[in-house]
Structure formats: C-alpha cells, structure tokens
Amino acid sequence: MTINTHKGFSSFNRKFILPALRDGIRSVGADIVFLQEVTGVHTRHASRVMGWPIASHYEFLADTIWPQYAYGRNAVYPAGDHGNAILSKYPIERHLNHDVSIAGPERRGLLHCELRVPGYDRHVHVICAHLGLAEVHRRRQLDMLCRIIREDVPADAPVIVAGDFNDWRRRAHRILKDGADLDEVFVCAHGRSARTFPAKFPVLALDRIYVRGVARHGPAPLPKHPWASLSDHAPLAAHVTL
C-alpha cells in the first residue's frame, strides 16, 4: 500500500487526522506500507496540536502492526523534518535513503529497503519514492531511480517501487520500463494508471506502484471513504505474489 500522508493533516491542513489515518491504513492489512510526506519531528506542532503523538508519525502509524520500519529524512527545517517511510511485517535487513533533490528548496528522496521474507531465498527490494513537481527534475530523478535499480539490485531479485511520482503527464511508465524493466500494476490491469489527486475528486494519476521480477500482481480496490478525507492523495494498494 502507498499513501502520501500530507504530514498528518487533511486537505488544506484543516484538521489533524493522523489517528484516523492509522485506523484506515490498518484496515487495509497490507504487509508493506509506503509513506510519503511523513513527519519525523515537529516541535511547534507537538506543543500546539491536540493529539500530536510523542513518537514520530511513522512509529505511531507502525505501532504494534508493523514491527519493522525505516525512515528517510528528506526535508529539514527549524521546527523539524519530514520524508519517506516504509513499514514492514517482514525484517528490514538494510536500508538506504538516496537524496535525489535537484535544486531549490524542494527536497526529494528514494528510500530503498531490502526485506527478508520467510521461506523466500532472495531479498525483496522495495523503494519508496517522492519525486519533484517540475518535469525536468522528475526526469533526472527517474534516471537516478533506474540507475539505483541497475547498480544496487540483483537482476533476479523482486522489486517493488511505490509512492508519489507527481507524474501528471504519465511520462514515467516508458522511462522506468526502458531503464529498469518496471511495470506499473494499474496500467497492466486496466491500461492506465489510477487517478489519485485530489482525493475527493481524483483527476490526476500522481501515485504509482511499479514491480519487477514477481510471479503475479494486480490492483487491490480501496473504497473512496474514508480515504477522501484522510489526505489530499488517495491511496493505492496491490496484491503481489513472489
């Protein structure tokens, strides 16, 4: 499952909804959860926002359901930081956050984890992505993603890449297929990527789940409610068989 958490707030930052978001994520029952714009620390909100957790947001979301998690800090500011996180029911044996920021204040990253799945003889490589708003930046970041997969992932290892690609023109599919042999789950099933933004009335297909080297894959349908009120992005989920 992948979702942009919008730092724990609803659209336009009207309401702090992290506890409800946790309930929603738990209801899906995903083995692996890819989070973007998840808060690590925010000292100002911690003192002002009612219900703000003592732990980081990714630890709060993981709680007792996902015993393993990794965090990649992308943006740092005086009050705190936010970035990408991966929650896993399987052991995370290695993780590395790649800074793929290009220029200016926009900070972006690719969080790469190697998972050990019981009964499976190879590591499963999962990458949580959050790419830039400018197309010229996204193109370079997609090239970086392809290079990471070619250089750091064995050719026979399963790969799952998920997150917020901000790719409203849908240019990433061909780049990732040619550069890393990745297939997008919703494109394979329905001929086009799923619309996820804005969550209440999705028009743009910004969020994706790409795979390589798996036996089977397919979209897992999610209801519009309660998700339309839990973030500005709708989540995506998929069934993947090794």
Side-chain angles (χ1 to χ4, degrees):
M1 175 188 180
T2 179
I3 186 169
N4 184 317
T5 72
H6 201 234
K7 302 168 195 164
F9 290 88
S10 61
S11 298
F12 305 106
N13 298 322
R14 289 172 177 163
K15 185 178 180 182
F16 182 64
I17 45 77
L18 192 68
L21 181 62
R22 181 173 68 175
D23 291 342
I25 293 173
R26 284 180 169 186
S27 72
V28 176
D31 292 328
I32 307 166
V33 181
F34 300 75
L35 305 172
Q36 306 88 51
E37 284 193 27
V38 61
T39 299
V41 175
H42 201 296
T43 54
R44 189 168 64 249
H45 286 339
S47 62
R48 298 178 180 178
V49 176
M50 184 172 294
W52 193 267
I54 297 175
S56 65
H57 284 195
Y58 57 90
E59 291 176 287
F60 177 81
L61 293 171
D63 196 25
T64 58
I65 307 298
W66 293 273
Q68 300 277 301
Y69 48 81
Y71 174 60
R73 185 173 61 180
N74 296 335
V76 180
Y77 29 85
D81 56 80
H82 70 265
N84 297 337
I86 292 175
L87 316 181
S88 174
K89 293 183 180 179
Y90 306 115
I92 298 175
E93 299 213 330
R94 175 177 175 265
H95 71 273
L96 178 64
N97 192 48
H98 298 269
D99 184 354
V100 295
S101 307
I102 303 299
E106 193 178 71
R107 313 308 298 174
R108 302 297 185 186
L110 299 169
L111 176 60
H112 178 190
C113 294
E114 295 182 25
L115 309 184
R116 179 170 52 81
V117 178
Y120 195 70
D121 60 357
R122 281 165 288 173
H123 282 131
V124 177
H125 291 254
V126 296
I127 300 174
C128 185
H130 191 188
L131 305 189
L133 297 173
E135 186 167 351
V136 64
H137 291 181
R138 289 196 301 274
R139 177 59 206 244
R140 291 176 60 184
Q141 290 161 347
L142 289 166
D143 288 341
M144 293 178 195
L145 172 57
C146 291
R147 186 171 65 249
I148 289 168
I149 293 174
R150 289 195 303 267
E151 295 178 358
D152 297 347
V153 179
D156 62 347
V159 183
I160 304 171
V161 183
D164 178 359
F165 283 76
N166 278 313
D167 177 37
W168 60 276
R169 292 189 176 183
R170 309 186 191 203
R171 302 282 177 83
H173 303 322
R174 177 51 55 190
I175 296 170
L176 295 179
K177 182 62 177 177
D178 292 345
D181 198 26
L182 289 168
D183 293 306
E184 210 280 326
V185 170
F186 288 79
V187 171
C188 290
H190 304 307
R192 61 182 177 87
S193 43
R195 297 175 181 178
T196 58
F197 185 88
K200 289 186 182 297
F201 302 102
V203 175
L204 302 178
L206 302 187
D207 302 87
R208 310 282 171 75
I209 300 175
Y210 292 91
V211 297
R212 188 190 80 182
V214 302
R216 292 188 303 276
H217 59 81
L222 296 176
K224 184 175 181 179
H225 301 287
W227 298 107
S229 61
L230 295 183
S231 176
D232 55 348
H233 288 247
L236 296 179
H239 295 292
V240 176
T241 303
L242 299 178

